[in-house]
Amino acid sequence: MIYFLFSLAVILAFVLAYFLFQTHKKKTLLEAELNQIKERYDENQFHLDFFLEHTSDFLFKFNPEGIVTYSSMNVVRIMGRNPNIRLAHYSNSYSDNPINLKARERIDGFLAGKYDTVPPYFVEVNDARGFPHMLEVFHKPIYSDKGELIAVTGIAKNITGIYNAELEIKKFEKEQILILDAIPDTMFTFDKQGFLLNYHAKNEVSDPLSAEKKLGENIVDVFPEEIIPVMTTGLERAHVTDELQTVEFKLEIGKKELFCEGRFIKLTDDRILLMMRDITAQKQLEEGLKLAKEAAENANQAKSTFLATMSHEIRTPMNGVIGMTNLLNETLLNAEQRDYVETIKVSGETLLRIINDILDYSRIESGKVTLEDSVFGLKRVVEESLNLVAYEAKGKKVGLNLYIDENVPEFFYSDRNRLGQILVNLLSNAVKFTERGFVSVKVSLIEFKEDTANVEFKIQDTGIGVAKEDIKNLFKEFTQVESSNSRRFGGSGLGLAIVKNLLKLFNGKVSVQSELGKGSLFTFNVYLKAPVGEMTEEERKTAGGLSRYEVDKLGDVLSGKYPLKILLAEDNGINSKLICLILERMGYVPTLAKTGQEALSKMLDQSYDVILMDVQMPVMDGIEATKRIRALNLNPSPYIIGISASAFDEDIENAKQSGMDDYLIKPLKFEALRSKLIEVGQMRFPFVS
């Protein structure tokens, strides 16, 4: 019995030991498993924390009352909020964005049992600094074993950047739509093969094209047949060249014909934009402007023709009046007769000056005046200008003074005639409006830069002066300050207008200082080039010698020195008589011809050294006669001098192109004719001293 009990005790001891061993073993295994689970949990938590630390998403949890009981640590970085602060309602951080109202209504409804689920939604929340963030939220409800809602877990995805980008895109798209709506063009988008991808129509140009029905069709099926070559060429060139291509074409809409402009622009390698607009109004305006321009040009041409014709018709009798007056003035006259002759002469020269002013202004206005440069002495040009007004100044006992600063260069390369014209216009005005006292000219150098000098001229007088309020009218065409002045002093009122326009050719300006009753000061400047290189003594004499107005007397006989045979072709009896008298005073007896045909016949009979050829004659004019004489190839060839009252540059050029060697304008200046005959004499008789 005792043995049995002992054996039982031993067995029980072994069983208990085994049980304890197994229990310990299981505990050890359980602890190891728990350690592994904890390690995996820690690892997962580490990965979760690492993920949350580097993402804009965060976790949170709230109970059925909506009170937040948990939020992940990265909420500090994203929202600037302390995750340890609990017991705040989930909506406390919501902004006032209307989008939040719908989200809260859904969440509160779910917590109240009104809804079974909460689908993903968008809310805008404010961070700790008050800046808004757009979140996309996903919810997962947690229930107890009894099916009761315990909590709601949520994941908030921060999509602020994407949301703002979408807002910008929508804003940009809206702006683009507004811009497109504001553009009156119809726009088509084609691929490089010419298939219509899209269109935007805002005007009637698109109506006959039915663009909406032709999406996906080729360009050849979109437009009318007659303009397809233009459109396909524009599309192809835009794709190949990457440059804007502009085409024009017509579209018929009902009974209306529209002029259209198309612009092909390459957007991408496979997209070409076509912008079409109605330019009918522009074309009509252009046509109107073209017709107006043609009408203006015709009117201007008619004006020029009228001026040229009237100039010729007036100059022809003026030639006789002034010429005969000069000859009469050299005969024996008593004092009263000489006074009458002087009056006729002054009146004729005044009328001629007015005619010249009108012609000059017409040439300047039409842009036909250009500078003809040559080397000249500045002092000589100024003295010549003073000589031209000296007679009138002497008669009024008005003194003329000239001052030229020492630093002003002696010679220049520019248009001496136009510079002289500016000076004469200003000087004649000064003398005209000065009853007593003086007129002075002062020339000074403002600046000499490289090869160009800025030269200033001051013309001062002690005349009647101009009121300050009237100075602004001085340079207007056909204007004098007072109408009484026109009657008292005469003139066309063009002199100062011509001065102002001529100065533009010299890049210069003119200004006036004046006081009523105390005289005027006109100041102008011109830019003159200095001649290149050293001048020879001969060039200096030519440029700065005696004035061209200081010539020998008319009565000097030239025929003995230069025995020229002269043919005069002139149909006007008075002018023919006048020129014959002038030539006779120089010792010549010319052969006369009344037409160009007659002049040609006389050239066939005998040779002549000089032909004075009137341009406008009956039967055959001087231009045609000159051409035919040149066609004879005579040796020696006569020196043909054209004589005409036509004073326009194109008339002179036309005469010289026909074969004339020179050209004199009526009224004929004796000195000019004599000078030309001397030139011809020197060529024909070079050994005569």
Side-chain angles (χ1 to χ4, degrees):
M1 186 64 177
I2 294 172
Y3 178 77
F4 173 74
L5 291 172
F6 177 77
S7 299
L8 181 60
V10 172
I11 292 171
L12 288 173
F14 276 107
V15 171
L16 180 60
Y18 179 76
F19 176 76
L20 291 173
F21 173 76
Q22 289 297 326
T23 300
H24 178 73
K25 182 179 180 181
K26 287 181 179 181
K27 181 180 178 182
T28 302
L29 291 174
L30 182 59
E31 287 177 352
E33 187 174 350
L34 287 174
N35 288 333
Q36 289 179 351
I37 292 173
K38 186 176 182 304
E39 288 177 0
R40 286 198 297 271
Y41 172 80
D42 290 341
E43 184 179 359
N44 291 335
Q45 186 64 43
F46 171 78
H47 290 158
L48 178 61
D49 291 341
F50 183 79
F51 171 76
L52 292 174
E53 187 62 30
H54 295 84
T55 183
S56 58
D57 303 342
F58 60 89
L59 304 177
F60 65 94
K61 184 188 291 187
F62 56 83
N63 61 25
E65 286 74 37
I67 304 300
V68 177
T69 59
Y70 168 79
S71 57
S72 57
M73 292 297 295
N74 63 329
V75 76
V76 177
R77 176 173 54 82
I78 299 170
M79 303 297 294
R81 295 184 181 277
N82 190 340
N84 297 319
I85 298 177
R86 303 286 188 257
L87 304 179
H89 196 271
Y90 73 86
S91 63
N92 279 8
S93 60
Y94 281 14
S95 70
D96 56 1
N97 193 322
I99 195 174
N100 295 335
L101 297 177
K102 186 176 181 180
R104 182 165 181 178
E105 186 272 332
R106 186 75 187 186
I107 297 170
D108 289 347
F110 173 75
L111 294 178
K114 186 177 179 180
Y115 304 114
D116 295 332
T117 60
V118 180
Y121 59 89
F122 296 95
V123 293
E124 186 180 74
V125 300
N126 291 326
D127 60 21
R129 295 173 297 172
F131 295 128
H133 295 261
M134 184 60 64
L135 306 177
E136 183 180 14
V137 182
F138 302 87
H139 278 168
K140 173 69 175 176
I142 301 174
Y143 297 96
S144 67
D145 294 341
K146 297 179 179 180
E148 296 175 349
L149 180 66
I150 300 174
V152 177
T153 300
I155 298 177
K157 184 177 182 63
N158 193 336
I159 60 168
T160 304
I162 298 174
Y163 176 74
N164 289 337
E166 289 180 351
L167 286 180
E168 286 297 321
I169 291 172
K170 289 179 180 179
K171 180 182 177 182
F172 177 76
E173 289 176 345
K174 184 178 180 180
E175 290 176 352
Q176 294 303 305
I177 292 172
L178 291 174
I179 292 172
L180 290 175
D181 288 342
I183 295 175
D185 298 351
T186 295
M187 284 169 276
F188 302 85
T189 305
F190 295 92
D191 65 13
K192 62 183 178 183
Q193 281 80 32
F195 289 98
L196 182 60
L197 305 176
N198 199 357
Y199 83 101
H200 182 83
K202 292 297 291 184
N203 56 35
E204 62 181 333
V205 175
S206 63
D207 293 342
L209 302 178
S210 302
E212 186 174 4
K213 298 177 182 179
K214 296 180 178 179
L215 287 173
E217 294 189 8
N218 196 271
I219 191 171
V220 297
D221 300 313
V222 174
F223 297 105
E225 184 177 353
E226 59 270 17
I227 66 171
I228 286 176
V230 174
M231 306 307 280
T232 53
T233 301
L235 179 78
E236 183 178 339
R237 286 185 60 82
H239 180 262
V240 173
T241 64
D242 292 342
E243 296 177 356
L244 171 69
Q245 301 296 319
T246 302
V247 298
E248 291 186 4
F249 52 90
K250 294 180 182 179
L251 276 182
E252 291 187 4
I253 301 178
K255 295 182 179 180
K256 286 178 60 178
E257 185 179 64
L258 298 181
F259 286 89
C260 297
E261 179 186 78
R263 297 187 176 193
F264 289 91
I265 307 163
K266 185 176 180 180
L267 301 178
T268 65
D269 193 52
D270 194 42
R271 292 171 72 87
I272 295 97
L273 174 68
L274 167 62
M275 302 178 69
M276 285 172 46
R277 67 173 54 181
D278 178 7
I279 59 170
T280 305
Q282 177 183 331
K283 283 293 183 182
Q284 291 172 345
L285 177 61
E286 288 177 358
E287 187 64 25
L289 291 174
K290 182 180 178 182
L291 293 175
K293 181 174 180 289
E294 290 176 355
E297 289 175 347
N298 291 336
N300 191 53
Q301 182 60 41
K303 181 188 74 173
S304 298
T305 303
F306 171 77
L307 287 173
T309 303
M310 293 307 298
S311 167
H312 182 275
E313 295 304 317
I314 294 173
R315 282 172 181 273
T316 298
M318 283 297 297
N319 185 48
V321 171
I322 296 176
M324 288 299 183
T325 302
N326 285 328
L327 290 176
L328 181 60
N329 203 26
E330 294 191 358
T331 63
L332 294 174
L333 301 171
N334 61 36
E336 185 179 9
Q337 290 171 330
R338 191 168 298 281
D339 183 59
Y340 293 161
V341 172
E342 286 294 338
T343 302
I344 296 171
K345 179 181 178 183
V346 170
S347 298
E349 289 175 347
T350 301
L351 179 58
L352 184 61
R353 189 160 55 245
I354 292 172
I355 294 170
N356 288 336
D357 280 350
I358 294 172
L359 292 176
D360 265 340
Y361 184 75
S362 177
R363 282 195 290 261
I364 293 169
E365 189 184 37
S366 61
K368 294 179 180 178
V369 173
T370 57
L371 298 183
E372 298 180 3
D373 297 337
S374 63
V375 178
F376 64 89
L378 182 63
K379 183 178 180 181
R380 176 178 173 180
V381 171
V382 179
E383 288 178 343
E384 286 177 354
S385 302
L386 286 167
N387 286 341
L388 289 176
V389 299
Y391 180 80
E392 184 180 357
K394 183 178 180 181
K396 299 172 73 174
K397 296 183 179 179
V398 173
L400 298 179
N401 303 314
L402 173 60
Y403 307 94
I404 301 179
D405 287 349
E406 292 183 358
N407 63 341
V408 177
E410 184 178 1
F411 297 99
F412 289 101
Y413 182 74
S414 187
D415 193 323
R416 62 171 296 156
N417 293 325
R418 292 303 176 186
L419 179 58
Q421 186 177 1
I422 293 169
L423 286 166
V424 168
N425 277 345
L426 291 174
L427 286 169
S428 62
N429 258 13
V431 172
K432 182 196 298 184
F433 295 109
T434 301
E435 296 297 332
R436 60 182 180 275
F438 66 89
V439 173
S440 65
V441 180
K442 186 176 188 308
V443 186
S444 56
L445 180 66
I446 298 176
E447 182 185 26
F448 197 102
K449 190 174 183 180
E450 296 179 354
D451 62 344
T452 302
N454 184 2
V455 183
E456 182 182 71
F457 296 79
K458 291 182 180 289
I459 299 175
Q460 188 169 12
D461 63 65
T462 56
I464 62 174
V466 182
K468 289 183 179 179
E469 60 271 18
D470 293 326
I471 288 178
K472 62 180 181 295
N473 297 321
L474 278 178
F475 295 94
K476 290 183 178 179
E477 301 85 351
F478 305 102
T479 301
Q480 287 189 340
V481 172
E482 295 180 3
S483 58
S484 60
N485 287 344
S486 295
R487 293 191 293 271
R488 180 181 174 192
F489 296 103
S492 64
L494 281 174
L496 294 181
I498 291 172
V499 166
K500 182 180 178 181
N501 286 312
L502 285 176
L503 281 173
K504 292 179 181 178
L505 300 176
F506 287 95
N507 297 317
K509 294 181 180 179
V510 62
S511 62
V512 186
Q513 291 177 303
S514 186
E515 189 174 345
L516 201 59
K518 294 186 178 180
S520 303
L521 172 63
F522 284 79
T523 303
F524 73 90
N525 73 298
V526 290
Y527 288 88
L528 305 174
K529 289 186 177 180
V532 179
E534 291 293 328
M535 295 179 63
T536 64
E537 190 62 31
E538 185 64 28
E539 288 173 332
R540 286 179 173 272
K541 288 181 179 180
T542 303
L546 290 174
S547 167
R548 56 192 171 98
Y549 296 100
E550 298 173 6
V551 295
D552 295 337
K553 292 182 179 180
L554 178 64
D556 288 355
V557 177
L558 288 180
S559 61
K561 192 173 185 179
Y562 304 114
L564 299 170
K565 294 181 65 177
I566 300 174
L567 171 63
L568 171 61
E570 169 65 74
D571 66 304
N572 185 281
I574 295 176
N575 286 330
S576 178
K577 181 179 179 181
L578 172 64
I579 297 172
C580 284
L581 287 171
I582 296 171
L583 291 173
E584 286 173 5
R585 296 291 299 274
M586 289 186 280
Y588 297 108
V589 179
T591 303
L592 301 181
K594 292 185 177 180
T595 67
Q597 182 66 53
E598 190 176 339
L600 180 62
S601 298
K602 291 184 181 296
M603 280 298 304
L604 294 173
D605 293 339
Q606 59 178 304
S607 62
Y608 291 91
D609 299 303
V610 181
I611 301 177
L612 300 178
M613 183 78 74
D614 185 29
V615 173
Q616 294 187 356
M617 291 185 291
V619 183
M620 181 187 294
D621 63 28
I623 299 294
E624 182 63 27
T626 299
K627 290 179 180 178
R628 296 198 181 188
I629 290 172
R630 293 305 185 205
L632 297 174
N633 294 320
L634 300 173
N635 189 18
S637 181
Y639 193 89
I640 301 177
I641 301 174
I643 300 176
S644 177
S646 299
F648 283 100
D649 294 339
E650 53 264 36
D651 297 322
I652 299 173
E653 184 63 27
N654 185 40
K656 290 186 175 181
Q657 286 182 357
S658 71
M660 291 184 179
D661 297 289
D662 221 319
Y663 194 93
L664 294 174
I665 299 171
K666 297 177 183 178
L668 200 62
K669 292 182 179 179
F670 305 154
E671 299 89 343
L673 177 57
R674 183 176 184 278
S675 176
K676 297 300 178 188
L677 293 178
I678 291 174
E679 287 181 18
V680 179
Q682 290 173 342
M683 287 188 291
R684 286 285 192 269
F685 308 100
F687 299 106
V688 176
S689 59

